[in-house]
Amino acid sequence: MYFRKLGAAATLAALLAGAAYAKTDIVVGMQLEPPHLDPTSAAAGAIDSVLYSNVFEGLTRFMSDGSVVPGLAESWEISEDGTVYTFKLREGVTFHDGTTMDAEDVKFSLDRARAEDSQNAQKALFADIDTVEAVDPATVRVTLKQPNGSFLFNMAWGDAVIVAPESIDGIKQQPIGTGAFKFSNWVQGDRIEIVKNPDYWGEPAKLDKATFKFISDPTAAFAAVMAEDVHAFAGFPAPENLPQFEADPRFQVLVGSTEGETILSTNNKMPPFDNVKVREALAHAIDRQAIIDGAMFGYGTPIGTHFAPHNPDYVDLTGLSAYDPDLSKKLLAEAGFPDGFTTTLKLPPPSYARRGGEIIAAQLRAVGIQTEITNLEWPQWLEEVFRGKDYGLTIVSHTEPADINIYARPDYYFQYDNPAFQQLMVDLNNTTDPAGRSAILKQAQEMIARDYVNGYLFQLAALSVANAKIKGLWANAPTQATDLTGVYWED
Amino acid sequence: MLRFIGKRLVSLVVTLWVASLVIFLSLEVVPGDPAAFMLGLNAQEDTLAALRDELGLNKGAVERYVDWVGGMLVGDFGTSYTYRTPVAQMVLDRVQVSLPLALYALTLSTLIAFPAGIWAAARRGKPADIAVMGVTQLGVAIPNFWFAMLMVLVFAINLRWFNAGGFAGWDAGFFAAMKSLTLPAIALALPQASILARVMRSSLLDTLNEDFVRTARAKGLTRGQALWRHALRNAMIPVLTIIGLQFAFLMAGAIIIENVFFLPGLGRLVFQAISARDLIVVESVVMLLVFAVVLVNFLVDLAYAAVDPRLRGRR
Amino acid sequence: MNRNLVLGAGLTAIFLLAALLSFAWVPQDVTQMDIANKIKPPSAAHPLGTDHFGRDILSMIMVGARTSIAVALVAVGIGMGLGVPLGLAAAARRGGWLDEVIMRANDLVFAFPSLLIAIMITAVFGASALNAIIAIGIFNIPVFARLTRSGALSLWTRDFVLAARVAGKGAARISFEHILPNVTNLLIVQGTIQFSLGILAEAGLSYVGLGAQPPTPSWGRMLADSQTMVSFAPHMALFPGLAILLTVLGLNLMGDGLRDVLDPRLRRDRQ
């Protein structure tokens, strides 16, 4: 009798578990808190990490593999000369406040982003737009000043999402978008909550509610995941803890790719770095694998140029700058520095920079180059290094996708001024056939690698931890996003 | 008395004014532009200019100082550059964490320190005294962020009795909120309790040597009776002074502990604001903290003067 | 012999000697990285194990002792060097405007939340050992100024000071010749305590990344570096933490012992 009862209870429990659907809420940990909630007027990646695709959508959008697919624009036609884009918008799309999303909203959003007093952090994305016309409520015609092969890609950025004039004034605190989730609550310093949008135009979200919890300290992040205070942590800051999560059946570790080329940026105009021999010596003094092992605990892919290894056009050029301290010393002697020299190494806050910097300093010391390490906060780094160009070396991860064109800007902070490369980028913009573009991109990669513009270290890995039962999270980070629209709990 | 109050009041105003100048001027020279930080690597010059204009960063230093001080006098603490919300509102949100945390830690520290201090004093030189003194020596010497980390490891990760950090919020109920403050409060209370217990003990021992206590003992009271009936009350003055100081320290000094437990408190607000060059937040919060300390000191002075008229002349 | 004093001086001496020895010899060069041997538990080759860059933790602690002691010592030096003359001056002009200004300035410094100001100072001038010294030193000034003033105030009413005044000595001379020697004991005791607080403050500052910069080892940064690894490499957090704990403990015990030995009031009490 006793056993029967127990058996019945067990069956009942099993039934209840089956009947009661899997969890429909999630707490996602993130390191950085958004300063405000308008993705179209700040560079803070944290804004997109919370809102991209979840709350705000653009004409086109990124998928987790980095491809660009239709978003609020259902389809488009491109004129023969590549200057006129006619977007056909999805019908029946409403903003979270109930107003309709139509061509006027698109015109408003694009015009606002490129206006004179625009505060868009990526204003350059819109620079080629000449006019935006609302042909009818479901059709928008965008005319470009010149053909731009990246235009659809540009429109997928978080900075190009569609916003409504009705709700723009309150957007920084009360974001109103068209996404599968609605913004619900923000406790500053702690968390942001979003809830399912029942009126979503597309496939509805599987979760009813999601909470983003902001935990900046890596130790606290580890503790929060271990204690299951958060169900997932997007962009886990401490790679050294991942083996512990991997060993624990409660968790899954997602290792994906990012667009972040982590480089030892070198001030090409500052002596002695204006001498290509010195830069080459620098490149051979660096042991990439030691940096990946020491700073990232093995996560990261070595790179030999400024290009993402998962890109089909990538060329592996790591051989050009193989670790060879003896060659490095020889090159230094040839360049006139047999006893090395002293320079500055200014490091921004992320641990890849701080830890990587310590290791690089030790490696450079071994060939006779002394570095004075200064740790800087981001605002100071932007002012001194990025804008002031007052530095010898620095370490930073360039997370913008497809950004090799920064080498064509002689006033960019590493001050690489090579007319041949600049011409290459002009050619790239004028080339539309894929094979031709691919050839130019490969040539560009090789050119900067052979000029040893910067020390090319590794491609940053996208590291996330989640409860083993959570499905549908993005492993890759083609852009700053924590797309929860396809996430669900497995029964 | 009125003259004394007046004099102290003038000194209070002057102190606050000098403090506001020191804060403002030191932050004037902080390198880093909040607009550049917000707009990032790809920002264009015209975009930066537009944002600076909106934030009022293009105005002269004098004008900004006058705006800031003038605003504060009427209760307007400015608007955060990064969050774009009123600083007063942000402070109010954070005080809901910092104030209860400080009070919680202070209560814990008092609850530990009083019995420990009294016990040690009563058993002076005996093993109990030596043990209490030994433990308090350790409590003072231990770096509290280190202690906090060890507690998280044991109680949150291994035993899972507590959350690793974060603040449940008062909406989640009093006990849930207090629970999330428990480990941080213990971490903060440990060194404070150790100091307080030592002050309690030595202050008690001092009063036990005072004539009136000796007289009482001569009249036949035991050491314990003398301690409870006479010494304790008189030993409280230095103890209360220390408690006051500790409270002021706890309001702002919990930064590191707030970081370890990712609590949205005042200290972390300032820490983050400095990193983001959200200077208006830094200025206003530091000014508020200074104001609080100066005000408490002023009130303490008045209280002392009221109790002991001799003190009026000395200040 | 005073037990606290012996124990405290002993502990302090160990770390002082370790710091001095590190100038001449350490088990392994702390600028030498050995990534292949990172995070190894204690062994014969590395008595306290290795850190996340494969450096020898014992060597790191020895060299780190240098940083901690130097920062704390110089900060106390600043506090004494400026605080004591200010306190003497205030006492000499007790009740006057100079006294009032000095004491109000003290209150002002005390009114600022010290850790926040330290963070602000490093935000303005950048993170470095020097700026950590300044940040800690500033808050030491009012401590010594107040202590000196209160000690000096009672001395000014004493007979030997009156005698000196009658002999026509000026306030400055009296302060340095008669007052200062008699507050030295107070200053030594307080100096020991401030020294230990300085070690803790330096550890806290470098823990949040605002102290000595790499590659200079410091105990606080060693703890910060070890934070995320404490769950699988406890030795990395344990030993630097113990180093701080024992040094501070040693100094505090020494301070207590010195107070017992030097403070006549307490000595009378002990008899």
Side-chain angles (χ1 to χ4, degrees):
Chain A
M1 188 60 200
Y2 177 78
F3 284 106
R4 276 248 297 280
K5 240 184 187 165
L6 195 68
T11 322
L12 190 65
L15 274 172
L16 281 172
Y21 289 100
K23 272 170 80 92
T24 54
D25 63 323
I26 190 173
V27 181
V28 180
M30 266 174 30
Q31 214 183 352
L32 295 178
E33 178 175 21
H36 58 70
L37 300 176
D38 178 7
T40 64
S41 67
I47 303 177
D48 286 333
S49 292
V50 172
L51 301 176
Y52 185 79
S53 169
N54 296 331
V55 173
F56 284 113
E57 300 169 304
L59 290 173
T60 57
R61 57 160 298 165
F62 290 115
M63 294 305 283
S64 87
D65 61 358
S67 59
V68 174
V69 300
L72 290 176
E74 192 174 70
S75 61
W76 49 81
E77 280 164 27
I78 308 172
S79 67
E80 286 286 315
D81 64 351
T83 56
V84 181
Y85 285 70
T86 310
F87 291 98
K88 168 92 178 62
L89 303 181
R90 288 185 204 275
E91 308 221 14
V93 178
T94 55
F95 284 99
H96 299 146
D97 61 356
T99 56
T100 340
M101 194 286 302
D102 60 21
E104 286 300 332
D105 295 307
V106 176
K107 177 174 163 54
F108 168 77
S109 302
L110 298 186
D111 284 346
R112 175 171 170 268
R114 63 202 189 91
E116 189 135 344
D117 61 349
S118 154
Q119 292 178 4
N120 197 297
Q122 309 288 349
K123 204 172 166 184
L125 294 177
F126 311 91
D128 280 341
I129 298 180
D130 190 30
T131 58
V132 183
E133 300 155 77
V135 181
D136 63 57
T139 313
V140 178
R141 184 159 57 227
V142 180
T143 310
L144 304 183
K145 294 169 191 155
Q146 64 215 29
N148 182 336
S150 320
F151 184 64
L152 292 170
F153 170 84
N154 289 355
M155 290 302 104
W157 284 54
D159 306 79
V161 294
I162 303 306
V163 292
E166 293 89 347
S167 52
I168 198 70
D169 289 336
I171 187 172
K172 289 193 165 81
Q173 304 303 326
Q174 188 76 36
I176 305 281
T178 55
F181 289 96
K182 293 195 284 191
F183 168 81
S184 120
N185 184 27
W186 181 10
V187 180
Q188 276 181 1
D190 189 49
R191 64 183 185 272
I192 288 176
E193 292 158 358
I194 57 176
V195 295
K196 181 177 179 169
N197 169 15
D199 305 321
Y200 186 54
W201 57 267
E203 172 112 0
K206 297 187 178 77
L207 296 169
D208 288 335
K209 185 183 171 195
T211 305
F212 291 93
K213 188 123 183 124
F214 307 109
I215 306 175
S216 57
D217 183 73
T219 322
F222 171 74
V225 178
M226 267 293 169
E228 295 184 40
D229 291 352
V230 301
H231 303 128
F233 204 105
F236 191 78
E240 56 269 36
N241 291 134
L242 295 181
Q244 285 166 286
F245 293 127
E246 266 166 1
D248 191 328
R250 292 180 293 157
F251 304 113
Q252 56 177 323
V253 173
L254 304 168
V255 181
S257 59
T258 72
E259 299 296 324
E261 292 84 17
T262 311
I263 60 175
L264 176 68
S265 302
T266 310
N267 193 341
N268 279 243
K269 285 244 167 78
M270 176 192 266
F273 300 120
D274 53 349
N275 182 341
V276 66
K277 273 226 161 74
V278 172
R279 299 201 300 264
E280 190 180 349
L282 212 57
H284 290 297
I286 293 169
D287 180 357
R288 291 189 185 91
Q289 200 54 49
I291 297 167
I292 294 173
D293 288 344
M296 304 307 293
F297 287 72
Y299 297 97
T301 316
I303 52 172
T305 183
H306 196 106
F307 218 71
H310 56 83
N311 191 307
D313 294 328
Y314 173 75
V315 191
D316 185 352
L317 296 164
T318 47
L320 284 177
S321 43
Y323 176 53
D324 188 346
D326 291 330
L327 176 60
S328 177
K329 276 185 217 160
K330 197 173 135 248
L331 286 164
L332 278 178
E334 281 172 26
F337 299 97
D339 304 319
F341 54 89
T342 301
T343 187
T344 55
L345 176 55
K346 298 194 172 175
L347 304 173
S351 72
Y352 66 73
R354 296 277 165 92
R355 282 187 191 155
E358 276 198 71
I359 300 173
I360 285 179
Q363 292 174 352
L364 294 184
R365 204 177 302 119
V367 299
I369 302 172
Q370 305 295 330
T371 51
E372 287 163 17
I373 293 183
T374 322
N375 289 342
L376 299 177
E377 297 281 355
W378 277 121
Q380 239 175 319
W381 184 88
L382 283 170
E383 181 158 308
E384 275 181 38
V385 178
F386 192 74
R387 295 167 71 81
K389 298 164 184 95
D390 173 19
Y391 76 106
L393 300 167
T394 183
I395 298 177
V396 72
S397 197
H398 285 257
T399 51
E400 284 74 20
D403 58 353
I404 195 169
N405 56 4
I406 54 179
Y407 287 75
R409 288 159 58 179
D411 60 340
Y412 207 61
Y413 74 108
F414 40 73
Q415 308 198 80
Y416 172 61
D417 190 355
N418 181 351
F421 189 88
Q422 288 150 25
Q423 184 56 45
L424 217 49
M425 287 298 112
V426 174
D427 294 347
L428 182 68
N429 268 348
N430 294 334
T431 311
T432 43
D433 85 286
R437 286 180 67 90
S438 170
I440 296 174
L441 283 171
K442 286 176 176 163
Q443 206 185 334
Q445 291 174 52
E446 189 151 347
M447 191 179 290
I448 55 171
R450 287 198 185 279
D451 273 344
Y452 299 98
V453 183
N454 296 310
Y456 300 103
L457 306 176
F458 58 89
Q459 194 76 12
L460 213 57
L463 305 172
S464 300
V465 190
N467 188 296
K469 290 192 179 136
I470 294 174
K471 304 288 163 199
L473 279 171
W474 282 16
N476 297 330
T479 184
Q480 292 267 10
T482 317
D483 187 335
L484 298 177
T485 53
V487 171
Y488 61 98
W489 287 86
E490 201 180 46
D491 296 340
Chain B
M1 189 70 188
L2 266 182
R3 230 190 107 202
F4 172 75
I5 296 179
K7 226 178 121 190
R8 296 293 290 123
L9 213 53
V10 170
S11 141
L12 178 138
V13 171
V14 172
T15 308
L16 289 177
W17 175 65
V18 175
S20 78
L21 266 182
V22 170
I23 294 170
F24 186 82
L25 289 178
S26 57
L27 288 173
E28 267 306 288
V29 291
V30 170
D33 172 9
F37 174 66
M38 270 146 54
L39 293 176
L41 299 190
N42 292 352
Q44 299 182 354
E45 271 315 317
D46 56 341
T47 329
L48 283 173
L51 182 58
R52 275 198 212 104
D53 213 40
E54 192 189 305
L55 297 177
L57 292 169
N58 288 341
K59 292 185 195 165
V62 177
E63 196 180 343
R64 271 180 295 124
Y65 175 74
V66 172
D67 283 354
W68 174 56
V69 173
M72 279 196 300
L73 289 177
V74 295
D76 173 11
F77 292 88
T79 303
S80 155
Y81 296 154
T82 36
Y83 285 107
R84 308 287 182 91
T85 42
V87 177
Q89 184 57 46
M90 296 171 75
V91 169
L92 222 56
D93 286 348
R94 303 306 178 101
V95 164
Q96 291 179 16
V97 178
S98 286
L99 189 64
L101 178 61
L103 290 174
Y104 194 177
L106 210 59
T107 311
L108 279 180
S109 122
T110 314
L111 285 180
I112 299 167
F114 274 37
I118 294 169
W119 194 40
R123 304 234 184 284
R124 182 170 188 212
K126 305 222 171 78
D129 181 24
I130 294 170
V132 168
M133 285 299 96
V135 171
T136 55
Q137 281 287 14
L138 281 177
V140 176
I142 210 167
N144 66 359
F145 49 90
W146 188 58
F147 180 62
M149 241 338 281
L150 299 180
M151 280 203 301
V152 169
L153 192 66
V154 174
F155 295 109
I157 296 179
N158 289 336
L159 296 174
R160 300 183 63 180
W161 291 353
F162 292 95
N163 284 350
F167 182 60
W170 295 108
D171 305 339
F174 178 77
F175 286 103
M178 287 309 269
K179 194 180 167 195
S180 53
L181 294 180
T182 298
L183 289 185
I186 294 175
L188 286 170
L190 178 82
Q192 311 283 2
S194 303
I195 295 171
L196 204 57
R198 298 178 74 83
V199 172
M200 186 82 202
R201 172 183 176 274
S202 65
S203 167
L204 270 175
L205 291 179
D206 281 353
T207 30
L208 280 174
N209 279 328
E210 299 256 348
D211 291 341
F212 71 94
V213 182
R214 285 166 187 257
T215 317
R217 284 203 66 187
K219 284 181 178 166
L221 265 75
T222 64
R223 192 181 164 89
Q225 282 169 328
L227 191 147
W228 282 108
R229 290 196 198 155
H230 297 282
L232 195 57
R233 211 167 61 103
N234 288 284
M236 287 308 285
I237 292 171
V239 172
L240 287 178
T241 312
I242 295 284
I243 291 181
L245 282 175
Q246 291 191 341
F247 181 70
F249 167 80
L250 284 170
M251 280 301 288
I255 295 188
I256 297 183
I257 294 298
E258 281 175 8
N259 257 332
V260 173
F261 293 99
F262 51 105
L263 291 173
L266 267 186
R268 204 155 71 108
L269 175 68
V270 180
F271 195 69
Q272 286 171 339
I274 291 175
S275 311
R277 294 299 180 270
D278 197 347
L279 300 183
I280 185 82
V281 174
V282 183
E283 286 165 356
S284 296
V285 177
V286 173
M287 195 62 217
L288 269 175
L289 289 168
V290 169
F291 177 71
V293 172
V294 171
L295 190 70
V296 168
N297 284 347
F298 173 69
L299 295 177
V300 167
D301 277 354
L302 287 194
Y304 278 162
V307 173
D308 186 350
R310 279 175 305 171
L311 288 172
R312 284 176 214 164
R314 218 182 71 183
R315 280 275 181 167
Chain C
M1 270 312 257
N2 181 295
R3 199 180 45 199
N4 278 347
L5 186 57
V6 173
L7 192 62
L11 271 175
T12 311
I14 291 175
F15 285 95
L16 219 52
L17 288 176
L20 287 176
L21 177 64
S22 76
F23 283 102
W25 174 82
V26 284
Q28 189 194 310
D29 180 4
V30 292
T31 60
Q32 203 68 47
M33 289 186 185
D34 182 6
I35 306 281
N37 274 315
K38 66 177 187 214
I39 319 182
K40 288 277 187 286
S43 65
H46 303 285
L48 305 184
T50 63
D51 74 353
H52 58 303
F53 292 145
R55 293 173 296 194
D56 180 57
I57 290 182
L58 175 62
S59 313
M60 294 282 287
I61 287 181
M62 286 171 66
V63 183
R66 247 149 61 178
T67 318
S68 285
I69 292 172
V71 168
L73 211 55
V74 179
V76 173
I78 291 176
M80 276 198 190
L82 292 172
V84 172
L86 285 175
L88 288 176
R93 294 274 177 271
R94 61 208 164 273
W97 65 267
L98 185 66
D99 183 21
E100 185 70 19
V101 167
I102 291 174
M103 285 297 109
R104 289 293 141 245
N106 271 341
D107 287 350
L108 183 71
V109 176
F110 265 134
F112 279 93
S114 53
L115 195 57
L116 286 182
I117 299 308
I119 291 169
M120 266 168 57
I121 288 175
T122 45
V124 176
F125 301 106
S128 72
L130 182 68
N131 291 330
I133 289 173
I134 294 173
I136 301 170
I138 285 180
F139 289 96
N140 270 321
I141 298 173
V143 174
F144 287 103
R146 277 192 182 178
L147 183 76
T148 310
R149 178 178 177 272
S150 69
L153 275 182
S154 60
L155 290 169
W156 272 97
T157 60
R158 300 275 284 275
D159 293 343
F160 67 93
V161 174
L162 286 176
R165 288 174 78 175
V166 170
K169 289 189 183 173
R173 249 185 97 187
I174 295 178
S175 289
F176 281 96
E177 284 178 14
H178 300 285
I179 308 275
L180 185 58
N182 284 295
V183 293
T184 316
N185 285 352
L186 277 178
L187 293 177
I188 290 175
V189 172
Q190 191 65 40
T192 319
I193 308 248
Q194 292 307 117
F195 188 18
S196 87
L197 288 177
I199 300 249
L200 270 182
E202 192 274 340
L205 280 183
S206 38
Y207 172 76
V208 289
L210 302 176
Q213 297 295 290
T216 312
S218 85
W219 292 344
R221 196 150 38 72
M222 288 175 77
L223 278 184
D225 287 344
S226 74
Q227 288 270 288
T228 52
M229 304 175 205
V230 66
S231 51
F232 62 94
H235 71 275
M236 277 181 63
L238 193 62
F239 296 118
L242 280 179
I244 299 172
L245 178 70
L246 292 176
T247 311
V248 174
L249 185 65
L251 284 166
N252 283 343
L253 288 174
M254 200 163 96
D256 278 8
L258 282 174
R259 190 195 322 255
D260 288 351
V261 173
L262 295 177
D263 191 327
R265 198 173 57 98
L266 278 174
R267 190 161 41 195
R268 182 165 18 93
D269 174 47
R270 268 150 49 95
Q271 278 161 359

